[in-house]
Amino acid sequence: MSKNISKNTYSSAKDILGGMGTGTLYSNFVFHFYDPDEPLANLVIDEQLGRIQNACQERQALQQETLRLLNTQDSQLKSMVTTSLADVNSRIMDYVDQLLAYGPPPPGLEFAIPIYRCLLDTTIASEQFLGEIETASKHSPPFARNELKDMRRAAKAVFIHVYLSLRVFGSPGPEFHPFNPSIALSSSERITVELVCKAKSLGRRLKML
C-alpha cells in the first residue's frame, strides 16, 4: 500500500513539474532543475529525501530486531520482521531510483549536495549493516547460520544497489572524497558494478541531449 502511494505521489509530482514553463525543463521524463529558487522543485526534492531518510530509520530498527531474533527460534516473529525488512529495503531502492530519475542537477546548484549526502548516508548505513551481520555470525548459535547467510545475501544486494546509485549520481564537487567500500566485493560483483555504472551513467548523459 505504502509503495503504491509513493509511486502515485512521484508520478503526480512529475506531471506538475512537467507543466511548469519557467525554471524547469521536462524532457523524456527527466527533470533538470535550472532554478534553485523554484519552490515546487525544492518541495519535491525535499519530500523524496525525507522519504529515504525516514525509510532508513525504519530499516535500522528492523535490522536491529532481526539481529536480536537470531538467538530465538520464534519462526513466526522472525518471518514477520524479515518480511518487513524486505519491504522497507524495496522502498528504499525504489526511492533512490526515483531520485536519480530527476536527472543530474546542473553544476553549482543547491540540489546536488543534499542529494549526494542522502545517497552517501544510505550507502554507508547499508554497508554498516553488513559489518554487523559479520560480527553477529561470530557469536550466533549454529541454527542461525542459514538465516545469517540469507540476511547477508539480501543486505549485500541492497548495498550494491544504493552504492551503484551513488556512483552514477557522482560527486557534487572536489571537496567530496570518493566513497570506497570497506566490504569485500567478489570479482563478479566488481565487474557487474563497473558495467552497470557505466551503462547507467551513459543513459543519464543521453537523456540530457
Side-chain angles (χ1 to χ4, degrees):
M1 180 67 177
S2 59
K3 186 184 293 187
N4 290 334
I5 291 174
S6 70
K7 287 184 177 179
N8 291 339
T9 304
Y10 171 70
S11 298
S12 299
K14 291 205 302 183
D15 292 339
I16 293 170
L17 285 177
M20 299 174 62
T22 303
T24 304
L25 173 65
Y26 180 67
S27 175
N28 295 328
F29 301 102
V30 177
F31 295 128
H32 306 288
F33 297 101
Y34 291 121
D35 184 0
D37 297 321
E38 178 55 66
L40 190 54
N42 276 300
L43 287 174
V44 171
I45 289 295
D46 287 346
E47 176 69 18
Q48 195 69 10
L49 295 178
R51 285 198 187 105
I52 295 173
Q53 291 161 358
N54 290 337
C56 284
Q57 291 176 358
E58 180 183 350
R59 179 179 67 172
Q60 184 177 17
L62 288 168
Q63 287 171 341
Q64 297 308 310
E65 183 68 4
T66 301
L67 293 174
R68 186 185 69 81
L69 291 173
L70 284 172
N71 295 316
T72 72
Q73 298 192 42
D74 188 338
S75 58
Q76 184 175 3
L77 182 56
K78 285 183 177 182
S79 177
M80 290 174 58
V81 175
T82 300
T83 300
S84 296
L85 181 57
D87 175 73
V88 75
N89 274 327
S90 178
R91 281 189 279 129
I92 288 172
M93 290 188 288
D94 283 347
Y95 294 157
V96 167
D97 289 345
Q98 291 168 6
L99 193 60
L100 287 184
Y102 292 126
L109 292 190
E110 65 184 41
F111 295 107
I113 290 178
I115 291 174
Y116 180 81
R117 282 178 174 161
C118 179
L119 292 173
L120 179 61
D121 289 345
T122 306
T123 303
I124 291 173
S126 301
E127 183 183 54
Q128 287 175 341
F129 183 50
L130 279 167
E132 292 173 1
I133 293 173
E134 292 297 330
T135 300
S137 65
K138 300 175 183 177
H139 307 287
S140 296
F143 64 78
R145 288 173 184 169
N146 288 335
E147 292 179 58
L148 282 163
K149 287 181 181 179
D150 292 340
M151 193 184 302
R152 188 179 189 281
R153 188 182 304 111
K156 198 167 191 180
V158 175
F159 167 74
I160 290 175
H161 189 102
V162 295
Y163 171 54
L164 264 171
S165 299
L166 179 70
R167 288 274 305 273
V168 171
F169 186 81
S171 173
E175 67 273 20
F176 290 88
H177 299 292
F179 172 79
N180 295 312
S182 60
I183 63 169
L185 297 177
S186 67
S187 297
S188 61
E189 288 171 338
R190 289 196 300 271
I191 292 172
T192 299
V193 165
E194 293 303 323
L195 290 176
V196 175
C197 182
K198 289 179 180 178
K200 288 190 173 185
S201 297
L202 177 60
R204 281 165 67 83
R205 288 196 295 270
L206 290 175
K207 287 179 180 179
M208 292 286 290
L209 300 178

